[in-house]
Amino acid sequence: MESPYAPLSESAAKALGDKMYDKRKVASQEIEKMVTEFNLKNNSAQIRKLIEVLSNDFAGSRDANKRKGGLIGLAATSLGLGKDSHKYVNELVTPILHCLNDQDMRVRYFACESLYNVVKVSRSAIIPFLPDLFSALSRLVADNDQTVRDGSELLDRLLKDIVTESSQSFKMEAFIPLLKERIYVKNSFVRQYVISWISILNAVPEINMVLYLTDIIDGLFTMLEDNTQEIQRMCETTLTQFLKSIRNDSSSVCMEDTINTLITHAQSPHEQIKSIALTWIREFVLIFGSNVLPYASGIFTAILPCLECNEDSMKNIKECAVSVNKSMMKLVSSKEHKTQNIEQIDLKSIMTVLSRYLSHNSAQTKIAVLEWIYHLLINFPNEMSTHLNELGNNLLGILSDNSDDVVLKCISVLAEIVNSQHSKETTDFNKANYRKFLLSLIKLFSEDKSFLDNRASLIIRQLCVLLNAEYIYLTFSEIIAEEVTNLKFASVIVRLLNSILLTSSELFELRNVLRDIPNEKSAKLFKCLYLSWCHCPVSTLSLCLLAQSYQHVSELVVLFADVEITLELLSEIDKLVQLIETPIFASLRLTLVSKANNCADAQYLAHALFGILMLLPQTDAFRMLKNRLQCVPNYWGQQPVKENQSLQYKSNIDFVELTVHFKKVQKAHRDQRVQQRKRSFLVNEH
């Protein structure tokens, strides 16, 4: 009677299901010998029948020992078939694959061993099963049992060798989804397994892994956060290999999807991830040039916060961010591709990002943002016009920043905005643009005293360098002259503007213009300034002294008898006396000793200075001015003053009208002080 396990003998079948490994081993040797004989006789029917018995009755049995026997029997069958095992590879591999998931760890181990033997002799014939094998092994590498992990590792090495030597028959399209799925598993063993496969495939010349980079790059960056240094090292090495491949052949990579992934990871709190992502972005900007411009807003989001990284560990991150920033600026300013750049750049999204980072804590970041805004204004003036109003409001708030560098850069941008609104076809003074801007600035000064005290002088001086100083002063003067509510604030602004005018090197040219009041342009400027300078009587004196209107100064000094002499006023006169001793007023001092035709000016000036001397208490300033006047020779003696010889006479300025205005403004100040004192008294009474 034939054995129910035929062509296996009953004794062989019994031994194959024994709990003792040695007995199963002896049975497997009998099977290998039997299969070799069948194969020599081309008896494929018996071979298939044997495989079926081993698969169903043994590998598929509920008895763990039988399953082990079935696995060793299938391996023996493959060895017996030798090079012809490829004809039966499907029947051999399928039952073993099922056993790789067995609950019994020994069965799983023997499944690895059995499959190793099948793969070893089948070689390239195993390629169609690679996706299933990869999935199974990705679980076994994280098995709880060390022997199973060791067995899976041996099988994995063999599979990689076969893929490397049989790459042409390997179908990446079926394999990539498995990589993409497993790459996000957090188990360290699985991660190491996945990275090793990616690295091996990327090293095969016939396989262009860059084509599939978008499917796996996010997972690779995610794995960099693993706590295992070995995985971090492997992952970084693999990413470096990919980047090298892209440098050699950039046409294979999908730049659009990849750069978005890089932008995301460049914002990671993990230093290594951030550093590598920024390195990639730097390379992409160099490789793809203007093609990255549509992603400029995302790139800015990635690099701008990194410009503040000053720690040694973050040095590479900062260097990459700075490099990307410079490269992007070169791309934007490229004249060769200007039309193309305008089409590619999304200014709306860029300005949204830049505006957000204007409030960043880092001075370096804010400076970079301001440089970008300035850069865009220069290169795309027409396109930027729609953003100017909102931009101007945001920039005004930056002027109170603690960093002088930030403030100076902000002023440069604001000045460019004003200039960009100025007609390029005419040199006429565009009063509306200056007025709108300076009104906003004065409003800031009035709302924040510390801002006025600490930043106003710097801001105005820098604006006078970047814009037309004459236009700045004309506009300020017109605004102040219209001030009828807060006269005290008006006088503060006048003192500030006067101090800058008299002491700053930036205002050298403007001072020269005022000294030439017989000139029609100079006379117009002087008159405009005078109307607002009247809010501060001492500033009015200094303005007239600068403009060499000495006759009027001598008349104004007399009017000080009706001005309330306060400590603040005396302090201002003290400063004026000290200014008279500076190089700026050298011409004034020389006028006192002149024998020329301007003797009238010398007499008026001496009278004015003596009047100022009489206003002072006997302080250091009093003694300084007294000593100066004692050095003045009396060339003119008792000669009558000839009014028509003075400089101001030749200017055709109506000084009588100006005197009336001076009195009017001073009366308004006096009346306002009286009202304030009354209100203060009433409040204290209640």
Side-chain angles (χ1 to χ4, degrees):
M1 181 178 177
E2 187 181 31
S3 169
Y5 301 106
L8 273 178
S9 64
E10 287 192 17
S11 60
K14 184 178 179 182
L16 197 63
D18 198 278
K19 64 180 181 178
M20 299 297 293
Y21 172 77
D22 290 343
K23 291 184 178 181
R24 296 198 299 272
K25 180 67 176 175
V26 171
S28 71
Q29 291 171 348
E30 182 179 328
I31 292 172
E32 181 180 348
K33 184 178 179 181
M34 182 190 309
V35 170
T36 301
E37 293 175 357
F38 286 152
N39 194 41
L40 287 172
K41 297 176 181 179
N42 292 322
N43 193 346
S44 60
Q46 286 292 82
I47 294 173
R48 293 188 186 282
K49 186 175 180 181
L50 175 61
I51 294 174
E52 184 178 354
V53 169
L54 292 172
S55 299
N56 297 333
D57 296 340
F58 287 87
S61 172
R62 293 184 178 181
D63 186 328
N65 291 322
K66 275 193 169 185
R67 294 200 298 276
K68 296 173 189 175
L71 290 168
I72 198 172
L74 289 168
T77 301
S78 179
L79 293 173
L81 288 167
K83 63 179 182 179
D84 292 326
S85 62
H86 68 275
K87 300 176 183 178
Y88 308 91
V89 68
N90 183 52
E91 294 92 328
L92 290 168
V93 170
T94 301
I96 302 175
L97 278 173
H98 290 306
C99 290
L100 288 174
N101 297 320
D102 201 279
Q103 292 182 349
D104 190 309
M105 64 181 183
R106 295 301 295 167
V107 173
R108 295 197 300 274
Y109 169 75
F110 283 115
C112 290
E113 188 179 68
S114 176
L115 196 54
Y116 179 87
N117 287 303
V118 172
V119 171
K120 183 172 66 174
V121 293
S122 300
R123 306 304 291 183
S124 61
I126 205 72
I127 292 293
F129 295 91
L130 193 58
D132 293 327
L133 291 170
F134 176 87
S135 294
L137 287 174
S138 67
R139 291 187 294 272
L140 293 177
V141 293
D143 199 279
N144 293 328
D145 184 69
Q146 181 63 47
T147 58
V148 175
R149 293 201 299 271
D150 292 341
S152 65
E153 185 179 340
L154 287 172
L155 176 58
D156 180 54
R157 289 177 188 169
L158 178 59
L159 287 172
K160 287 171 181 171
D161 289 341
I162 293 172
V163 168
T164 302
E165 67 187 30
S166 311
S167 56
Q168 293 181 345
S169 59
F170 181 65
K171 304 298 182 184
M172 283 297 299
E173 291 74 13
F175 193 69
I176 286 297
L178 298 173
L179 277 178
K180 188 175 181 180
E181 175 191 351
R182 288 288 166 179
I183 205 168
Y184 291 103
V185 175
K186 292 185 177 181
N187 182 278
S188 294
F189 292 109
V190 177
R191 283 179 164 176
Q192 191 168 356
Y193 171 75
V194 172
I195 297 171
S196 67
W197 266 101
I198 294 173
S199 181
I200 286 293
L201 293 172
N202 192 39
V204 177
E206 292 79 12
I207 299 176
N208 187 359
M209 280 293 287
V210 176
L211 289 170
Y212 311 98
L213 182 60
T214 54
D215 293 309
I216 58 177
I217 189 169
D218 179 66
L220 285 172
F221 272 99
T222 301
M223 280 197 284
L224 280 169
E225 67 187 8
D226 195 279
N227 295 326
T228 308
Q229 289 186 353
E230 177 63 16
I231 292 176
Q232 292 179 6
R233 184 196 62 77
M234 290 177 64
C235 205
E236 185 173 356
T237 300
T238 302
L239 285 167
T240 301
Q241 292 170 351
F242 270 117
L243 192 54
K244 183 178 180 180
S245 299
I246 293 171
R247 290 194 194 104
N248 295 332
D249 178 18
S250 60
S251 61
S252 298
V253 68
C254 179
M255 185 271 293
E256 297 82 357
D257 293 338
T258 308
I259 200 165
N260 282 325
T261 302
L262 296 174
I263 288 168
T264 299
H265 288 289
Q267 300 170 64
S268 170
H270 192 284
E271 287 185 17
Q272 187 183 20
I273 295 176
K274 184 190 292 288
S275 177
I276 295 175
L278 285 172
T279 300
W280 273 64
I281 291 175
R282 179 178 61 187
E283 292 295 323
F284 269 44
V285 172
L286 295 175
I287 293 169
F288 297 102
S290 59
N291 290 325
V292 305
L293 290 179
Y295 310 93
S297 60
I299 293 174
F300 291 158
T301 302
I303 66 172
L304 288 173
C306 300
L307 298 174
E308 67 167 331
C309 301
N310 296 317
E311 299 86 353
D312 289 341
S313 62
M314 305 279 276
K315 184 179 179 181
N316 183 61
I317 291 174
K318 182 173 183 176
E319 288 177 353
C320 278
V322 170
S323 177
V324 173
N325 195 48
K326 288 180 179 178
S327 297
M328 290 293 289
M329 278 201 168
K330 288 180 181 178
L331 289 177
V332 168
S333 58
S334 171
K335 295 181 180 179
E336 183 181 355
H337 305 290
K338 187 170 184 180
T339 303
Q340 179 184 348
N341 290 349
I342 292 174
E343 294 174 354
Q344 288 185 308
I345 287 179
D346 182 0
L347 274 179
K348 184 177 180 181
S349 63
I350 288 175
M351 290 308 300
T352 299
V353 173
L354 294 178
S355 297
R356 183 168 76 245
Y357 281 108
L358 270 176
S359 58
H360 198 269
N361 294 330
S362 165
Q364 295 99 316
T365 297
K366 282 183 278 197
I367 289 172
V369 169
L370 292 166
E371 287 176 342
W372 262 110
I373 294 173
Y374 184 86
H375 200 66
L376 293 171
L377 285 169
I378 295 295
N379 287 281
F380 308 115
N382 296 330
E383 291 75 16
M384 284 290 289
S385 60
T386 57
H387 303 280
L388 295 184
N389 288 334
E390 183 179 356
L391 182 59
N393 294 330
N394 292 337
L395 291 172
L396 286 170
I398 305 300
L399 292 175
S400 58
D401 195 89
N402 293 328
S403 167
D404 284 354
D405 291 336
V406 171
V407 173
L408 290 172
K409 191 65 67 175
C410 183
I411 294 169
S412 298
V413 178
L414 285 167
E416 182 57 33
I417 290 175
V418 174
N419 277 332
S420 67
Q421 296 171 327
H422 186 74
S423 174
K424 301 294 187 295
E425 300 175 358
T426 177
T427 57
D428 292 340
F429 174 28
N430 192 333
K431 185 184 296 184
N433 293 339
Y434 276 76
R435 184 178 180 85
K436 180 181 178 182
F437 170 50
L438 295 182
L439 271 172
S440 300
L441 198 55
I442 283 182
K443 185 173 183 293
L444 285 177
F445 292 158
S446 66
E447 292 173 348
D448 188 343
K449 187 177 184 303
S450 64
F451 177 52
L452 175 64
D453 294 339
N454 300 323
R455 283 282 182 256
S457 178
L458 173 67
I459 292 169
I460 294 171
R461 291 200 320 270
Q462 192 67 11
L463 285 174
C464 287
V465 173
L466 298 170
L467 296 172
N468 188 302
E470 183 180 344
Y471 295 171
I472 292 287
Y473 266 74
L474 281 171
T475 308
F476 266 133
S477 298
E478 290 179 0
I479 294 171
I480 295 167
E482 297 165 5
E483 180 62 67
V484 292
T485 54
N486 192 347
L487 300 181
K488 178 68 175 175
F489 175 70
S491 67
V492 170
I493 295 296
V494 167
R495 280 198 297 273
L496 173 65
L497 291 169
N498 183 66
S499 175
I500 296 171
L501 176 63
L502 295 178
T503 61
S504 299
S505 59
E506 295 89 346
L507 276 296
F508 175 80
E509 295 297 334
L510 192 61
R511 289 196 292 271
N512 284 343
V513 172
L514 284 167
R515 287 193 180 103
D516 189 23
I517 62 167
N519 179 284
E520 183 179 349
K521 176 185 176 183
S522 301
K524 180 181 178 182
L525 174 62
F526 171 80
K527 185 176 180 180
C528 183
L529 297 185
Y530 187 101
L531 295 176
S532 59
W533 258 234
C534 287
H535 283 287
C536 182
V538 178
S539 295
T540 310
L541 289 180
S542 63
L543 176 66
C544 294
L545 288 172
L546 181 64
Q548 304 180 81
S549 302
Y550 302 133
Q551 179 182 348
H552 190 60
V553 177
S554 67
E555 295 167 356
L556 286 180
V557 169
V558 176
L559 297 178
F560 271 63
D562 297 325
V563 174
E564 183 179 358
I565 305 297
T566 62
L567 286 175
E568 185 178 65
L569 181 68
L570 291 174
S571 176
E572 290 298 310
I573 297 175
D574 190 292
K575 292 176 183 176
L576 175 58
V577 171
Q578 295 179 49
L579 280 171
I580 290 172
E581 296 297 319
T582 64
I584 290 174
F585 281 108
S587 61
L588 177 149
R589 299 194 299 274
L590 290 173
T591 299
L592 291 171
V593 297
S594 175
K595 285 185 175 182
N597 293 329
N598 62 345
C599 286
D601 286 322
Q603 292 181 59
Y604 285 128
L605 176 57
H607 178 266
L609 294 178
F610 274 112
I612 293 172
L613 186 67
M614 293 303 104
L615 290 172
L616 284 168
Q618 295 190 30
T619 59
D620 290 341
F622 174 88
R623 286 183 283 276
M624 186 187 300
L625 183 55
K626 177 184 175 184
N627 291 338
R628 174 65 67 181
L629 290 171
Q630 285 176 344
C631 297
V632 177
N634 190 0
Y635 292 138
W636 359 276
Q638 301 299 320
Q639 296 179 24
V641 177
K642 297 179 181 180
E643 182 177 329
N644 61 359
Q645 291 183 356
S646 68
L647 285 174
Q648 76 175 44
Y649 179 82
K650 300 174 184 177
S651 67
N652 294 319
I653 296 175
D654 188 347
F655 280 94
V656 174
E657 179 186 349
L658 294 182
T659 302
V660 171
H661 179 75
F662 179 84
K663 292 178 179 179
K664 178 182 176 182
V665 173
Q666 286 305 306
K667 183 179 183 302
H669 276 269
R670 188 163 53 250
D671 292 344
Q672 192 170 85
R673 284 196 297 269
V674 170
Q675 291 299 321
Q676 288 174 346
R677 287 166 184 164
K678 285 182 179 180
R679 286 195 295 270
S680 178
F681 176 77
L682 291 173
V683 169
N684 291 333
E685 281 290 302
H686 290 290

